[in-house]
Amino acid sequence: MTSAPSGSGAAEPEAGSRVVLGRRAGGAVFTQFLNAGGSLVLQVVAARTLGKIGFADFAVCVATLALVNTFHTGWVGDGLTVLDRHDRA
C-alpha cells in the first residue's frame, strides 16, 4: 500500500511504532468485543425462547464446542508452535 506524500509535512508512523501497534491492538479488542457481545446476545435470546430444558441443551452444546476447541488448540495449535512444521524427521 503506497500513499502519496502529503503537503502538510506530517510523517507517517513507522512500522512497529506505538501508533501502528495501537491500531492492531484496537482491532483485536474490537473483534473480541464483537465476539463476546454476539455470544451474550445469542445466550439471552436462547434463554428467553428455548425454556429451561432447551436452554440446558443449548448450554451443553456450547460447553461441548468449547471443550472440543480447547483440545484442538492444545493438540494441534500448541504442537505447531513448538515443533518445526517443515522438519519431516
Side-chain angles (χ1 to χ4, degrees), residues 4-80:
S6 62
S8 65
E12 291 290 322
E14 295 180 18
S17 70
R18 288 186 182 193
V19 173
V20 173
L21 293 177
R23 288 181 189 158
R24 290 181 184 166
V29 169
F30 180 70
T31 56
Q32 179 63 32
F33 172 77
L34 285 179
N35 189 13
S39 178
L40 177 66
V41 168
L42 181 63
Q43 290 177 33
V44 168
V45 169
R48 291 180 176 260
T49 58
L50 296 177
K52 290 180 182 179
I53 301 300
F55 187 64
D57 292 339
F58 172 79
V60 169
C61 287
V62 169
T64 302
L65 286 174
L67 182 67
V68 168
N69 187 27
T70 301
F71 284 138
H72 177 267
T73 301
W75 286 336
V76 176
D78 289 347
L80 292 177

